Amino acid sequence: MTKTMKKDSRLYRLISLLSVCGEYPVRSLHLLGNKRMYRKLVDECMKPLTVRNPETGEAISLPRLFNLCGKGRLKSIRLYSGALPILKWIDEGEYYNIISNGHNMPMNDQHLDRNHRVAEVLAVCRDAGIEIFPHNLPNFQRDEFDTIIPLRQPFFMTSRMLKWFGGDDAANKTNFTRLVGTLFIGETDYFVYNTRYTPMKWSGAGEIKANINVRTLLQKPPFHRAYSMLFANSGEIAMDAYLATHKIKNSNYHFDQIYDKTHFIPLNEYGARFLRFFTIPNWHDMLIKNIFQTDTLTPFVGNHFDNCTDNIYSLVWLDGNLRRLWAAYPTVHKTRIYCFCWQESFVRNYVGDDVEILIVNFDKVESLLFDEYEEDDEY
């Protein structure tokens, strides 16, 4: 069997992703596209085959291209050792060598789970048009970091990369155990976490240390407004993980004290499309103004609601900000919530049956945002 490494083919997409994350969870193949087709591809690449580079004509014959390791929910796809020369075709061989410890990755459950958290975020970011490949990232110099970030090119750096740039202090392993990485969009940076299928356990102090170390690396003031994103399989799991920090006695370690906003990003077919919204400056404020046909934003009830008409308080929750939903409910006011279809089930379970929920068409919002943004980009 011969497989050709055409750019944007399933084979190319999977191998290029493995080059920056080392391994990828079998259970999350749906984040790459058609799960059945990707599973078929993996099965085919577990047999003898020849992989051909269409640009150079170079070909490599292998007994297999992938290895499967781990069991059950931790089953993982890794590159076969003989396939490593293929990474030179996509300029990521050196980076893969570092993240995989010379193709010698641990097999224990803790490392597998950690690597899977990173891999899922990388997959969603890539499909959202966010740069994830090291050879395309800026050549960082610490004293020039703020000046070289291209404002129109969002990119994601894993916590491992942040450790390198941060020197010995930031390399302290305990500081970054839960942080997957940081997403840079213009002048805004988001601290990214992935709780996957179960709520994570927090130490609180570790998140503050990670926040401080990254701020030091970015040369931003320690009290600079901090935002975060929480990837999860469902809104319920995301909120449970968010509120889990409230079990810590020191309130300074609570997530709502560390981050001004925490956006829930779903690990499903909407994840990458939704994440792409955040690449547009002030997209959520634009939608609020559009919904209420106003040029100004007037917050109500401690900034928890966006509008009040006929004594009904409205919350536009299209950005999935868990902090705002948690702060707004429960409430004594009569309220309504605007959300997307994939947010409805979670919102209903969280606020109860007495709250009116209005569904905003996700496809129309997507078209509205990107049609207008691309038109503005031309000038």
Side-chain angles (χ1 to χ4, degrees), residues 34-271:
N34 188 311
K35 182 175 182 177
R36 183 179 63 84
M37 296 303 294
Y38 271 99
R39 188 59 212 241
K40 179 183 178 183
L41 172 65
V42 172
D43 290 341
E44 290 175 348
C45 292
M46 296 289 292
K47 302 171 184 177
L49 78 166
T50 298
V51 183
R52 190 177 69 86
N53 184 340
E55 296 182 359
T56 65
E58 184 180 356
I60 299 178
S61 295
L62 302 164
R64 61 184 178 278
L65 182 56
F66 300 133
N67 285 328
L68 290 180
C69 62
K71 296 180 180 179
R73 61 184 178 82
L74 292 177
K75 183 173 286 190
S76 197
I77 303 166
R78 293 180 176 179
L79 282 171
Y80 169 63
S81 59
L84 298 186
I86 292 176
L87 298 181
K88 296 179 181 178
W89 299 353
I90 54 176
D91 298 325
E92 298 295 355
E94 182 180 358
Y95 183 72
Y96 175 83
N97 226 15
I98 296 170
I99 62 168
S100 66
N101 193 27
H103 198 66
N104 186 29
M105 290 178 287
M107 287 285 293
N108 61 71
D109 289 359
Q110 182 179 0
H111 278 88
L112 285 171
D113 183 64
R114 168 69 187 174
N115 289 342
H116 289 178
R117 292 178 193 274
V118 175
E120 289 168 346
V121 172
L122 285 168
V124 175
C125 283
R126 181 183 63 179
D127 281 358
I130 294 166
E131 185 59 70
I132 65 170
F133 296 107
H135 73 276
N136 289 329
L137 296 180
N139 184 19
F140 292 102
Q141 297 293 328
R142 186 167 179 170
D143 58 347
E144 298 176 356
F145 194 100
D146 276 343
T147 63
I148 62 177
I149 297 177
L151 296 181
R152 290 283 180 154
Q153 178 57 46
F155 63 91
F156 176 76
M157 292 178 63
T158 65
S159 57
R160 184 186 294 267
M161 295 180 72
L162 290 168
K163 290 177 189 178
W164 296 338
F165 296 127
D168 293 336
D169 291 336
N172 184 336
K173 191 173 182 179
T174 58
N175 288 358
F176 292 88
T177 52
R178 294 163 190 81
L179 183 69
V180 171
T182 304
L183 175 59
F184 301 95
I185 302 177
E187 297 180 354
T188 305
D189 39 86
Y190 296 89
F191 292 77
V192 179
Y193 300 85
N194 183 6
T195 190
R196 305 190 77 208
Y197 297 89
T198 56
M200 283 190 293
K201 296 180 180 179
W202 308 94
S203 69
E207 310 320 313
I208 291 179
K209 289 178 182 177
N211 192 307
I212 292 173
N213 281 341
V214 174
R215 298 253 164 244
T216 301
L217 171 63
L218 301 180
Q219 298 185 349
K220 292 186 177 180
F223 300 107
H224 182 83
R225 297 187 70 179
Y227 304 134
S228 65
M229 289 182 175
L230 184 56
F231 287 66
N233 190 53
S234 70
E236 288 81 1
I237 293 172
M239 183 62 88
D240 286 348
Y242 181 80
L243 296 179
T245 58
H246 287 210
K247 297 177 182 179
I248 302 172
K249 291 183 179 179
N250 189 336
S251 62
N252 290 323
Y253 293 167
H254 296 179
F255 229 62
D256 57 287
Q257 295 300 310
I258 301 172
Y259 298 113
D260 291 346
K261 297 179 182 180
T262 297
H263 304 280
F264 158 54
I265 309 295
L267 290 172
N268 59 24
E269 67 273 17
Y270 287 101

Side-chain angles (χ1 to χ4, degrees), residues 302-368:
N303 200 31
H304 303 325
F305 293 92
D306 300 297
N307 184 270
C308 182
T309 304
D310 298 330
N311 289 323
I312 300 177
Y313 290 84
S314 296
L315 168 63
V316 180
W317 199 71
L318 304 178
D319 65 346
N321 184 357
L322 297 171
R323 186 179 193 268
R324 202 152 180 245
L325 185 65
W326 165 75
Y329 290 92
T331 179
V332 297
H333 302 286
K334 187 174 182 180
T335 65
R336 68 164 60 99
I337 295 180
Y338 294 80
C339 67
F340 292 125
C341 58
W342 52 269
Q343 297 170 329
E344 180 185 11
S345 176
F346 159 63
V347 170
R348 174 59 71 199
N349 289 337
Y350 188 78
V351 302
D353 296 330
D354 295 333
V355 176
E356 180 185 8
I357 295 179
L358 300 179
I359 304 301
V360 176
N361 189 299
F362 185 86
D363 295 334
K364 288 184 178 180
V365 167
E366 189 174 40
S367 298
L368 172 69

